[in-house]
Amino acid sequence: MDYDVLVIGSGIGGMESAIKLGDMGHKVLLVEKEASVGGRMILLSKVFPTLDCASCISGPKMSSTINHPNITTKTYSEVTGIKRRPDGRFTASVKEKSTFVDWAACTGCSDCQTACTVAVPDEFNADLAARRAAYIAFPQAVPKKAVLDREGTSPCIGACPAGIKAHGYVSLVRSGKDEEAFQLVLDATPLVGTLGRACYAPCESECTRTKLEGPVPIRLIKRFAADQHYAAHGETPSGPAVEVAAPNGKRVAVVGSGPAGLTAAWQLARQGYQVTIFEKRSQPGGFLRHAIPSYRLPHEVVDADIANLTSIGVEIECDAKIDDLAALKDSGYDAVVVATGTQHATPMNVPNEDAAGSVNGLDFLADVANDNAPDLTGKRVVVVGGGNVAMDAARVSLRLGAADVKVVYRRTRAEMPAHHVEADDAEAEGARFEFLVTPLEVLATDGHVTGVRLQKMRLGEPDASGRRSPEPIQGSETSVACDLVISTIGMSPDATLYEKVVTVGRGKRITVDPHTLQTEVPYLFAAGDVATGATDITRAIGAGRRAAHMVDRWVTGRPLTGFTALDDRLDTIGHDTVLSRQTAFGHRNPIKGAVDLQKLPRDFHEIESPLTETEARSGAGSCLDCGVCSECQECVHACPADAIRMDKRDVENEFDVGAVVVSTGYKLFAADNKPEYGWGRYANVITGMQMDRLLAPTRPFNTVLRPGDGKVPERIAYISCTGSRDAQVGNPLCSKVCCMYSIKQNQLIMGALPLADVTMHYMDMRAAGKRYDEFYEQAKDMGAQYIRGRVSRITEKENGDLVLRYEDTEGTGEIVEAEYDLVVLAVGIQPNRDVERLFTDEPLGLDEYFYVAEPSEDLDPGVTDVPGVFVAGTASGAKDIVDTIVHAGAAVAQVAAHLEKAQQTTKAEVLA
């Protein structure tokens, strides 16, 4: 759409410009980067010298701006570039940042921010208090609409192959919402308790807190939520674990009841499908029950998780081996999901492998899990392999009474595929390791194992996995005596189920489209290890979720797209970005679960202790809220208008405009650039803007208090010219407003705290405006003290009081120290250099101080060196509110003249 004028920034200068231009009949596009119009004026307590309410003045102007028929306002948006067109007009690129809220539906009720579990510093209150990640900018915001502050995907969520919102359930537990945390994980998979114990927690490896003292105990927090739920509600739900859609009349068969199959069935059943799981074993769970030992994952936990599934109507048929997928489909199912895992152990292919006492790890662990464990009392066991199954087999053997357990592996420990915790724990329990050896033969006498003949190896060049390939060392054979050999060198799918129906890929895997998990037979999908090879629980769960989504899309005749749980996440935010948000972090001792590791354990009790409630809250409290919004979904549940849209994304548009008004305002001096004053280190050193918030009617606290301890201050000092008239920080200019806003605050403090002593340390008093000097004298008459002399340093006492060291230039001339409860830095104005990025083909001219230059300021105020581009307000230099309004009026006159001239030129060209 075409506009006559683009106004950038909606502070008092931008609003004044837009309204006047709109009143003239011009079509105005107003772009504001914040969620509300109003700029900084709305943040102030009063205006000087009249002490009128800042909100009362700016509020009506904000409303007029947003409701003007000739003004189109785009808040929470940024101008990313402006180019001049051949006809003299401009093309402006505008990015409308996603609020993740449907503003057309949002009523501004604030229920979302009440429900939100993440607190962040509140910019409206100058970081003195917190706001929520779901927030309305401030009480008088125009428009009064909610925004979700999402800087990206938190690393813990981004690292989870299952797409589980780890940051979300951590923030919920931190807030005491344990049941909501359980339900958040349940939204992805029924295996909440299982993941709390058996997941290898890639989320913790990516936790930003690892860059400090250690990760948030994310997995154990999930277990805490699960344990709390099952303790409160029982391990068998009395009703449906979650709400499900009405039956849709469609049926889906799932073959296999491991984590992929269970998760796929769970997601489909919730959408109204009638789902049946077929499991060839006598009990469901796949490797969760039949491979992972109960000291890591008790069977009752698996049972409780599976009960979530059956509570919503999923049928599980055990002892039901499927041999014909086509016949299964024809028996009344609309689609079939194969999730049979990797149930075949890879043979060693050495002599005597079939001797009595030589077994594969999968069969061995399954026998133990199904109460058919061998008696290994006093036996010697050799485990071949270096993966997690090998570690489980070794540790189970010890619990069955083995006198000696040795793990032999053909590479070094560094190349072992087993999780390092599993290997360390196995060694701590008494398993021994021998590296760089591979079996050549199982030694047997009369058909019974007596040992293993081994070949020593050395590492050569890396293979396809990236690990260095083992090479035999000739003439280096050794033997190890043993009674039992357990082979755990690999596993693969059983292709007999599908080899006659679809293409079988590498490693006997079923061939699927990696994005849709659909096979070449349209009704047949596959999820988990059967399609990828052996992975882990979280990847299987993620595949189960994806398969369910795609099955639903296929059955309902929609494109196989839109799996937002994993395919459409925001970019993962970097650790350095998170850590740069603050200059220092308090140390927090990492919370870890106690693990009962005994030498030569002889029972299967669960070895890892749960977190106590105190530990869970403390561990969750160490979360840095990397992505800001935790994706806990509480706002989604709380919003009565159903306005939350987590799938919204930024939108870029281009607009044709005839002129541009730059009213981008100023930036306040960053007080930490004067380290001698201690801002950011001393809690009771604040800025003038922070004091304005403490004095405002909409202030964050009930009274004026100092942030360090909430004490009502009795001795308050101001330091003028902080960041102004200071060559050391590169700003020799006077900011023009610091003296007067300090005097304003002096008077307001003496009204709010009649007994407080207020002192201002100043260089020169600038009171050049109308009634400004009278305002200054009035403050002195009220009791404010003014001391001329620059403050050199501030130090803090143990009680939080502050000692100012300054030169008394009008008194004795000596260096003096004075003690105060609270110090206010009257920070100055600096140019907003964001304007330098606005124009992509011809730079906007700046003056020597980096304000927008006005080549003929006295004769043509508001005119820049780029034809058709004008400047209003403090973007061109330091001004108070009155001067800003006057300057905006001048800029409007220039814009109107330019548009009229352009219109006359166009008419002349048409007539010619």
Side-chain angles (χ1 to χ4, degrees), residues 101-112 136 139 141 143-147 638-644:
V101 176
D102 179 359
W103 276 12
C106 177
T107 63
C109 68
S110 79
D111 285 0
C112 56
I136 294 173
K144 191 176 182 181
K145 303 291 185 180
V147 174
C639 180
D642 191 28
I644 307 300

Side-chain angles (χ1 to χ4, degrees), residues 769-826:
K770 182 180 180 182
R771 294 181 56 195
Y772 283 10
D773 186 65
E774 177 186 345
F775 194 55
Y776 168 49
E777 295 296 334
Q778 181 179 329
K780 288 198 293 185
D781 291 342
M782 293 176 67
Q785 183 180 6
Y786 293 87
I787 299 175
R788 186 168 187 169
R790 186 179 286 279
V791 175
S792 63
R793 186 175 71 243
I794 299 175
T795 56
E796 185 182 52
K797 300 179 68 175
E798 288 187 3
N799 65 355
D801 289 351
L802 301 156
V803 178
L804 269 66
R805 184 179 177 87
Y806 67 94
E807 181 184 9
D808 184 7
T809 58
E810 290 188 330
T812 64
E814 298 178 346
I815 301 300
V816 180
E817 290 189 347
E819 189 172 325
Y820 297 97
D821 300 329
L822 182 67
V823 173
V824 183
L825 306 180

Side-chain angles (χ1 to χ4, degrees), residues 146-166:
V147 174
L148 266 58
D149 191 347
R150 300 183 67 192
E151 291 192 12
T153 296
S154 294
C156 56
I157 298 177
C160 181
I164 294 171
K165 303 182 188 306

Side-chain angles (χ1 to χ4, degrees), residues 370-383:
N370 289 284
D371 300 323
N372 193 27
D375 182 4
L376 299 184
T377 303
K379 299 292 181 63
R380 299 162 300 175
V381 178
V382 171
V383 179

Side-chain angles (χ1 to χ4, degrees), residues 291-314:
I292 299 178
S294 59
Y295 62 81
R296 286 179 54 205
L297 178 59
H299 291 170
E300 55 268 25
V301 174
V302 178
D303 290 338
D305 285 346
I306 292 176
N308 293 322
L309 199 72
T310 55
S311 75
I312 62 171
V314 174

